[in-house]
Amino acid sequence: MTEDLKTVLIVKLSAMGDVIHALPVSYAIKETFPDAKVTWVVEPPSLDLLKMNPCVDKILLFKKKDFRTLKGFMREFFPFKHELQEQTYDAVLDLQGLFKSAAIAFFAKSNIKLGICNMREMSDKVSKPVIGENAQGHIVERYLDTARAVGCVVGNVTFPIQIPVDESEKARKIMDHAGIREGNPYVVFAVGANWANKRWDTEKFAALGDWFYQLAVVPVLIGSGAVDEQLAKEIESKMEIPPINLVNRTNIPQIAHVIRTARLIIGGDTGPVHMGAALGVRTIMLMGPTNVERNGPFNQLQNAIEVDRTCKGCWKRSCPKKEICLEKITVDVVKDKIASMA
C-alpha cells in the first residue's frame, strides 16, 4: 500500500474490450490521488479509445507489430525504452499479465510492480500478482483490486469516457446521411467479434432486425474490418428492409456516440458491447465460450444470455467439437430478454 501516489504506470495494451474494462483503474487513482500523474502504455488499435480518458496524463504507444522483426525491434526498442524510463513511477500496474506487458514492466523504473490475479507467460516473475477479494469475480473488479492494493479507495466504479464534441458532431452527420434522423429510436447490433465462436448467426440478427422494424425501431449495424463487413452484407441480404449499415464508416469516438444515443446494444462478448455497458446503455450480451461472472456486461450481468450448453465458458477460441457456439440462442430468447428489460 502506498501512502501517496504521484506517478503511476498502467500497462494494458490490446483489445478494445479489455482496455474498457481497465478504465476504472485510472479513475480510482485520480479519485484517491487527484494530483497523481497517470501514464498508460497501449497498442495502436485502442489508442483512440484511451484518448477519450481524461484520467490519463500521458500515453505511450507500444507498436507490437514493429517488434516482430529484428530490424523493427532495433528501430523501435531503444526509443520506446528511453521514453518509458524518462519517468520513475511510484507504482507499475500490469493489467495485461502476459510476456509482452511483463517486458514493459521490467524496464519501467519503479520499486512497486503489481499485476492481476491470473498472471501468465512468466509475467508473475516481474510483477507481483494481487490476489484480492474479487479474484474470482468480474474482470473489472479484478483490475480494481490492483488499484486497491496501492491505496486507492474505490467508491462507485466509473468508466472515464469523454467523447470529443467534434467527433460527436461528425457521428451525427454520418448517421443523418445514413438515414438515422436525430431523435428516432434505434438499436445497435455489434455484428462481429475477434473469436468466431463469439459471433451470433447473421440469419438471427436479420430476423431480430425485421422484428425491430415492426416496432418502429431502426436496427443499426456496427463493426470494423473485412469480416464484420461481410457479416453486415449477409444481414442486409436476409432482411426485408435493409438496416442502417455503419460498419467501417466510423472511428472509435464516433461509434461511441452512436452507441451512447441508442436504445439498446446487442452482440457478443466484444469491445463495442462492453462500450455500451460502460456508457450505461442497456446491453444484451450473447455469451458462449466466455462466462458471465468474469466477462459479462458490467453492472448488467442480468442482461447476459449464456448459451445452453454444458461446455459454456470453455475459454477456447475455436470449438473443439466443431459446433457453432451461439447457435442455441434463438431470436425468441433475445426477444424475451428485451421484454424483461422494458
Side-chain angles (χ1 to χ4, degrees):
M1 181 172 177
T2 304
E3 291 184 2
D4 185 23
L5 286 182
K6 292 185 174 63
T7 54
V8 184
L9 178 70
I10 296 173
V11 185
K12 188 61 181 175
L13 300 168
S14 52
M16 177 180 177
D18 293 337
V19 174
I20 289 170
H21 287 149
L23 294 179
V25 172
S26 61
Y27 183 88
I29 293 168
K30 290 288 192 176
E31 186 179 36
T32 306
F33 306 102
D35 296 328
K37 300 300 180 184
V38 176
T39 300
W40 192 310
V41 186
V42 74
E43 291 177 24
S46 292
L47 176 61
D48 286 345
L49 170 63
L50 208 55
K51 286 180 178 179
M52 293 192 290
N53 182 354
C55 295
V56 173
D57 300 285
K58 184 178 181 180
I59 299 173
L60 299 184
L61 193 60
F62 178 70
K63 301 176 184 177
K64 183 181 72 172
K65 289 183 179 180
D66 292 343
F67 282 78
R68 289 177 176 170
T69 64
L70 179 60
K71 182 179 179 181
F73 181 88
M74 296 302 294
R75 182 181 65 247
E76 296 291 336
F77 173 74
F78 292 103
F80 177 80
K81 180 185 175 185
H82 174 75
E83 190 174 15
L84 179 68
Q85 294 185 336
E86 283 180 346
Q87 176 73 61
T88 297
Y89 303 98
D90 292 329
V92 173
L93 304 181
D94 179 0
L95 306 183
Q96 195 80 32
L98 297 175
F99 177 82
K100 60 182 179 180
S101 59
I104 295 168
F106 176 82
F107 286 107
K109 295 191 291 185
S110 178
N111 293 324
I112 299 175
K113 298 180 181 181
L114 302 177
I116 54 177
C117 56
N118 53 325
M119 307 288 278
R120 293 178 288 161
E121 299 179 0
M122 304 293 285
S123 58
D124 61 322
K125 306 303 180 185
V126 176
S127 301
K128 179 182 178 181
V130 175
I131 314 298
E133 60 182 19
N134 300 290
Q136 300 302 316
H138 198 280
I139 189 63
V140 170
E141 293 288 1
R142 297 187 196 188
Y143 292 157
L144 282 169
D145 276 346
T146 64
R148 294 181 179 103
V150 292
C152 292
V153 178
V154 181
N156 294 324
V157 177
T158 300
F159 294 83
I161 300 173
Q162 288 184 359
I163 305 171
V165 174
D166 63 327
E167 294 290 1
S168 286
E169 184 56 35
K170 290 175 185 176
R172 289 189 189 97
K173 291 179 180 178
I174 292 170
M175 294 165 70
D176 184 70
H177 186 263
I180 310 172
R181 300 294 175 257
E182 190 164 356
N184 287 359
Y186 67 90
V187 296
V188 170
F189 292 171
V191 300
N194 287 337
W195 300 7
N197 55 354
K198 290 183 180 181
R199 301 173 195 147
W200 203 35
D201 186 74
T202 56
E203 188 170 340
K204 293 183 172 66
F205 265 129
L208 189 65
D210 287 333
W211 179 74
F212 270 117
Y213 266 129
Q214 293 172 13
L215 301 175
V217 178
V218 179
V220 176
L221 314 184
I222 64 168
S224 61
V227 173
D228 287 7
E229 188 168 348
Q230 179 59 38
L231 294 171
K233 288 179 179 177
E234 290 179 18
I235 294 169
E236 285 182 302
S237 69
K238 295 171 182 177
M239 288 185 62
E240 295 177 9
I241 303 173
I244 301 296
N245 185 357
L246 297 184
V247 172
N248 286 331
R249 294 183 60 186
T250 52
N251 59 25
I252 290 177
Q254 291 161 7
I255 207 63
H257 174 85
V258 173
I259 293 169
R260 181 179 62 181
T261 51
R263 296 290 181 90
L264 174 70
I265 182 168
I266 302 170
D269 177 2
T270 187
V273 183
H274 289 294
M275 172 73 80
L279 292 171
V281 176
R282 295 195 304 171
T283 301
I284 291 179
M285 186 176 290
L286 313 175
M287 305 189 70
T290 56
N291 63 8
V292 172
E293 291 75 16
R294 184 188 187 277
N295 268 50
F298 191 76
N299 274 342
Q300 300 188 51
L301 299 189
Q302 73 278 8
N303 294 335
I305 301 174
E306 284 189 293
V307 67
D308 184 18
R309 295 183 187 275
T310 57
C311 54
K312 65 183 180 182
C314 67
W315 289 96
K316 297 184 184 299
R317 287 178 176 265
S318 60
C319 178
K321 300 178 181 179
K322 307 300 181 184
E323 294 180 344
I324 300 173
C325 189
L326 302 184
E327 187 177 42
K328 289 189 175 183
I329 299 179
T330 66
V331 175
D332 284 340
V333 167
V334 178
K335 288 180 183 178
D336 289 344
K337 177 61 69 174
I338 294 168
S340 73
M341 299 167 69

Short mmCIF file of all heavy atoms in Angstrom, two decimals, residues 102 122 168 182 195 230 254 257 275:
data_model
loop_
_atom_site.label_atom_id
_atom_site.label_comp_id
_atom_site.label_asym_id
_atom_site.label_seq_id
_atom_site.Cartn_x
_atom_site.Cartn_y
_atom_site.Cartn_z
N ALA A 102 4.89 -7.85 -19.39
CA ALA A 102 5.93 -8.06 -18.39
C ALA A 102 7.25 -7.43 -18.83
O ALA A 102 8.00 -6.87 -18.02
CB ALA A 102 6.12 -9.55 -18.13
N MET A 122 4.91 -16.16 -17.47
CA MET A 122 6.01 -15.77 -16.58
C MET A 122 5.95 -14.30 -16.16
O MET A 122 6.90 -13.78 -15.57
CB MET A 122 7.37 -16.05 -17.26
CG MET A 122 7.56 -17.47 -17.70
SD MET A 122 7.67 -18.62 -16.30
CE MET A 122 9.32 -18.26 -15.70
N SER A 168 -18.54 13.76 -31.90
CA SER A 168 -19.98 13.55 -31.79
C SER A 168 -20.71 14.21 -32.94
O SER A 168 -21.66 13.66 -33.50
CB SER A 168 -20.51 14.09 -30.45
OG SER A 168 -20.14 13.24 -29.38
N GLU A 182 -32.12 12.33 -36.06
CA GLU A 182 -31.89 12.55 -34.64
C GLU A 182 -33.21 12.51 -33.88
O GLU A 182 -34.19 13.14 -34.26
CB GLU A 182 -31.21 13.91 -34.41
CG GLU A 182 -30.73 14.09 -32.99
CD GLU A 182 -29.74 15.23 -32.85
OE1 GLU A 182 -29.36 15.83 -33.88
OE2 GLU A 182 -29.34 15.51 -31.72
N TRP A 195 -13.21 -13.55 -31.86
CA TRP A 195 -13.34 -15.01 -31.90
C TRP A 195 -14.58 -15.36 -32.70
O TRP A 195 -15.67 -14.82 -32.45
CB TRP A 195 -13.49 -15.60 -30.51
CG TRP A 195 -12.38 -15.35 -29.55
CD1 TRP A 195 -11.30 -14.55 -29.71
CD2 TRP A 195 -12.26 -15.90 -28.23
NE1 TRP A 195 -10.51 -14.57 -28.59
CE2 TRP A 195 -11.07 -15.39 -27.66
CE3 TRP A 195 -13.03 -16.78 -27.48
CZ2 TRP A 195 -10.65 -15.73 -26.38
CZ3 TRP A 195 -12.62 -17.12 -26.21
CH2 TRP A 195 -11.43 -16.61 -25.66
N GLN A 230 -18.37 -8.33 -44.17
CA GLN A 230 -19.04 -9.47 -44.81
C GLN A 230 -20.27 -9.89 -44.01
O GLN A 230 -21.33 -10.17 -44.58
CB GLN A 230 -18.07 -10.65 -44.95
CG GLN A 230 -18.68 -11.89 -45.58
CD GLN A 230 -19.24 -11.64 -46.96
OE1 GLN A 230 -18.66 -10.90 -47.76
NE2 GLN A 230 -20.38 -12.25 -47.27
N GLN A 254 -16.53 8.10 -32.69
CA GLN A 254 -17.81 8.23 -33.38
C GLN A 254 -18.73 7.06 -33.07
O GLN A 254 -19.93 7.24 -32.85
CB GLN A 254 -17.58 8.35 -34.89
CG GLN A 254 -16.91 9.65 -35.30
CD GLN A 254 -16.29 9.60 -36.67
OE1 GLN A 254 -16.44 8.62 -37.41
NE2 GLN A 254 -15.55 10.65 -37.03
N HIS A 257 -20.33 7.50 -29.78
CA HIS A 257 -21.50 8.38 -29.84
C HIS A 257 -22.73 7.62 -30.33
O HIS A 257 -23.83 7.75 -29.79
CB HIS A 257 -21.25 9.57 -30.75
CG HIS A 257 -22.46 10.42 -30.95
ND1 HIS A 257 -22.83 11.43 -30.06
CD2 HIS A 257 -23.43 10.40 -31.91
CE1 HIS A 257 -23.96 11.98 -30.49
NE2 HIS A 257 -24.33 11.38 -31.60
N MET A 275 -18.43 -1.40 -24.51
CA MET A 275 -18.54 0.06 -24.56
C MET A 275 -19.95 0.48 -24.16
O MET A 275 -20.14 1.45 -23.40
CB MET A 275 -18.21 0.56 -25.96
CG MET A 275 -18.48 2.06 -26.18
SD MET A 275 -17.28 3.13 -25.37
CE MET A 275 -15.93 3.02 -26.56
#
